Amino acid sequence: MSAPALAVLGAAGSLGRVVLERLAEAGVEAARVGAWDGAEAAGDTVPFGAAELPVGALAAFDPGAAAVVLVALPPREAAAWAARCAGAGCAVVRLGGEDDGIVLMPGGAAAPGAVATVPDALPLALALALRPLADEAGLEALHVVTYEAASGRGREGVEELARQSALLLNGRPVEPVVFPGRIAFNVLPLGDAQGAARAEAALAAALGRLLGIAPPPLALTRTEVPVFFGHAAAVHLRPARPLAPQRAQALLAAAPGLAAGGSAAAPATEALGTGAVHVGRVRADGTGGLALWVAVDDLRLLAEVAVGAVLPLVGGGR
Amino acid sequence: MSAPALAVLGAAGSLGRVVLERLAEAGVEAARVGAWDGAEAAGDTVPFGAAELPVGALAAFDPGAAAVVLVALPPREAAAWAARCAGAGCAVVRLGGEDDGIVLMPGGAAAPGAVATVPDALPLALALALRPLADEAGLEALHVVTYEAASGRGREGVEELARQSALLLNGRPVEPVVFPGRIAFNVLPLGDAQGAARAEAALAAALGRLLGIAPPPLALTRTEVPVFFGHAAAVHLRPARPLAPQRAQALLAAAPGLAAGGSAAAPATEALGTGAVHVGRVRADGTGGLALWVAVDDLRLLAEVAVGAVLPLVGGGR
């Protein structure tokens, strides 16, 4: 009795590669996995543990050939492919994107004929870190300031950061393509001059949905920083009822999917390569609230939740 | 009648060079300016407008030879040299450091026989941006999250960021020397794991002194980011009385030393090369408060205030 076939759509992108890495680590057999991507990547191969998988042309992908589909494509394509595959009876997990419909949290499971979406990494990480604290002590106000990595803009974002950095170190000018301005050795607020920031409204809405508090009492400033992978956020929380840092620490340590009490180190050197949300520097702030530092390897978190949701279906071991 | 001589101590460092640049821009004659620094730099030259100044050995500097002294040395040396020069009757301006004694704000003036200290750039910039708002509407709580440049650790910090970045782009490992960890393509919180952060307490105290509110009702997270020059901060402010974003914008636009209403761009691309504190993205946050983005060229701000304070004494024109 062989396990059903599993297809990864968008397998050659940054996120797709991490998904394949996670599937291989979990003991899924290479022979059961199909890698698919757009015309540019089709014909190449992608690593799968010690093996290599050929990348098929996405346009030629037949949902009837796979029981389980992981969709790691850009938002516009992702929605169409997810719907098509679910319509063909596949169990579909979409990684990132609008978290309406079935929202997949850590520990969740995929089901045939339906699309389950893993929320974007940043609202998911913040919700996982904040929920145990909000459940215990309520949430009167939340101040979140983000430090977002180039990986949030996909492989092109990562490549642009590398290219701009190399040019500037050689004293040459840079021309932004993917980012709205120079990202190398710079910090770019994700919003325009006078405030109206769709990116901030979208994150606030997503976080509110995940916490079950809409609208959340949230003051938010998002920025992009010259980091390749891994988002971080400085979080200041004003609870409705008193919450001592020690108690917060204990709640975080007991919550699933969190690595609490870590050092103050940032995502690229601490959270990277793990699927956990790292919460550190839990302390009283100077206004009667709590401060925390949240760091997450955005791609690994999405891969962890998505692969965890399909392993029971494809018979992975670990 | 010739203008009195002016000495810059620490002239070969990042800050000293910016001070010389500002003096030259202000029309001070090169013949009136002496450049002094430690043994490593002594014998070299430093740019002064289109000219070059020889760098004298600091150990051989005689305070009797200059009427005005600008001290741009590291903190420990700075205090001793500032006291010695003031004792010899010089008008002394110390750039950055502990802001006890005479605190020099923009528009202030130096006086013979006394040391006036320009506060560190970050508390000074925050105080300049916040004071008009706090004066108008009171200050119930303040959440500040910083993005601090390598220039905050002097020329060695800037060089370490460049070195680490080049190594990592070439796939080679890095060994932190000046920073407590990898700074290239990373974010480093300025505080240890469990909170106790002297750097945060020091900034809170300095800001409180400058605002005349001690202790300030301030929740603070400081981080260092891979930016060469220019600090930024995401500021969320809860006023005691209602304060509309438009009114805040008008107050900021009328305040001296501020460039208000700028774009959301970050220090390295906007504030750099100006002595003004840039305040942008003034908007209502989601908790009844105001959000702002503050960016400053740390070295230029210090140089601007210090040079402004001595120009009347040395007869600079602009």
Side-chain angles (χ1 to χ4, degrees):
Chain A
M1 191 185 82
S2 67
L6 182 157
V8 177
L9 311 190
S14 297
L15 179 56
R17 286 166 187 265
V18 174
V19 168
L20 292 175
E21 186 180 292
R22 187 70 200 96
L23 285 167
E25 280 174 14
V28 176
E29 283 172 50
R32 295 277 127 208
V33 179
W36 304 85
D37 213 322
E40 295 141 58
D44 291 352
T45 63
V46 284
F48 188 85
E52 293 276 332
L53 299 179
V55 179
L58 186 59
F61 174 66
D62 170 16
V68 176
V69 179
L70 295 176
V71 182
L73 293 165
R76 187 174 299 265
E77 291 173 87
W81 274 104
R84 187 172 156 195
C85 295
C90 306
V92 180
V93 173
R94 180 179 162 189
L95 291 88
E98 292 179 20
D99 55 355
D100 45 4
I102 302 175
V103 176
L104 206 52
M105 299 287 277
V115 179
T117 301
V118 184
D120 285 328
L122 195 53
L124 178 56
L126 289 168
L128 290 172
L130 290 169
R131 206 154 56 175
L133 307 180
D135 284 351
E136 167 93 356
L139 185 58
E140 219 167 59
L142 195 57
H143 290 79
V144 175
V145 175
T146 70
Y147 298 72
E148 303 181 32
S151 53
R153 291 184 185 262
R155 205 165 152 187
E156 288 170 3
V158 170
E159 286 168 359
E160 180 151 316
L161 172 58
R163 186 173 57 243
Q164 286 191 7
S165 301
L167 286 169
L168 288 170
L169 286 174
N170 288 297
R172 290 170 57 196
V174 301
E175 195 72 55
V177 181
V178 179
F179 288 91
R182 196 184 104 193
I183 183 65
F185 307 111
N186 202 7
V187 172
L188 289 174
L190 261 167
D192 55 37
Q194 293 313 316
R198 266 180 305 179
E200 285 163 354
L203 174 54
L207 178 58
R209 280 196 298 274
L210 294 175
L211 286 175
I213 308 172
L218 170 63
L220 178 61
T221 297
R222 295 182 70 173
T223 68
E224 295 186 301
V225 293
V227 164
F228 286 111
F229 299 99
H231 301 322
V235 176
H236 293 262
L237 167 142
R238 191 164 82 238
R241 297 175 289 281
L243 178 60
Q246 295 82 344
R247 175 70 185 150
Q249 189 71 259
L251 291 166
L252 293 166
L258 299 185
S263 86
T269 49
E270 171 143 342
L272 212 66
T274 83
V277 177
H278 288 243
V279 186
R281 300 203 70 210
V282 180
R283 63 202 196 278
D285 73 16
T287 67
L290 275 181
L292 3 150
W293 180 257
V294 177
V296 65
D297 182 334
D298 48 333
L299 305 184
R300 287 288 301 207
L301 175 63
L302 293 182
E304 186 80 19
V305 177
V307 169
V310 302
L311 276 187
L313 300 176
V314 296
R318 280 165 278 153
Chain B
M1 191 185 83
S2 68
L6 182 156
V8 178
L9 312 189
S14 298
L15 179 56
R17 286 166 187 266
V18 174
V19 168
L20 293 175
E21 186 180 293
R22 187 72 200 93
L23 284 167
E25 280 174 14
V28 176
E29 283 172 50
R32 294 278 125 208
V33 179
W36 303 86
D37 213 322
E40 294 141 59
D44 290 353
T45 63
V46 283
F48 187 85
E52 293 276 331
L53 298 180
V55 179
L58 186 60
F61 174 65
D62 171 16
V68 177
V69 179
L70 295 176
V71 181
L73 294 165
R76 187 175 299 265
E77 291 173 86
W81 274 105
R84 188 173 155 196
C85 294
C90 305
V92 180
V93 173
R94 180 178 162 191
L95 291 88
E98 291 180 18
D99 55 357
D100 43 6
I102 302 175
V103 176
L104 207 53
M105 299 287 278
V115 179
T117 301
V118 185
D120 285 328
L122 194 53
L124 178 57
L126 289 169
L128 290 172
L130 290 169
R131 207 155 54 174
L133 307 180
D135 284 351
E136 167 95 356
L139 186 58
E140 219 167 59
L142 196 57
H143 290 80
V144 175
V145 175
T146 71
Y147 298 71
E148 302 181 34
S151 54
R153 291 184 185 261
R155 204 164 153 188
E156 288 170 3
V158 170
E159 286 167 359
E160 181 152 317
L161 172 57
R163 187 173 57 243
Q164 286 191 7
S165 301
L167 286 169
L168 288 170
L169 286 174
N170 288 295
R172 292 169 57 197
V174 299
E175 195 72 54
V177 180
V178 179
F179 288 91
R182 196 184 104 193
I183 184 64
F185 308 112
N186 202 7
V187 173
L188 288 175
L190 261 166
D192 55 35
Q194 293 313 315
R198 267 179 304 179
E200 284 163 355
L203 175 55
L207 179 58
R209 280 195 297 274
L210 294 175
L211 287 175
I213 309 172
L218 171 63
L220 178 61
T221 297
R222 294 182 70 173
T223 68
E224 295 186 301
V225 293
V227 165
F228 286 111
F229 299 99
H231 300 322
V235 175
H236 293 262
L237 167 142
R238 192 165 80 238
R241 298 176 288 281
L243 179 59
Q246 294 82 344
R247 175 67 185 151
Q249 190 70 260
L251 290 167
L252 293 165
L258 299 184
S263 85
T269 49
E270 171 142 344
L272 213 67
T274 83
V277 177
H278 289 243
V279 186
R281 300 203 70 210
V282 180
R283 62 203 197 278
D285 72 16
T287 67
L290 275 181
L292 3 150
W293 179 258
V294 177
V296 64
D297 181 335
D298 48 332
L299 305 184
R300 286 289 302 208
L301 175 63
L302 294 182
E304 186 81 19
V305 177
V307 169
V310 302
L311 276 187
L313 299 176
V314 296
R318 281 165 279 155

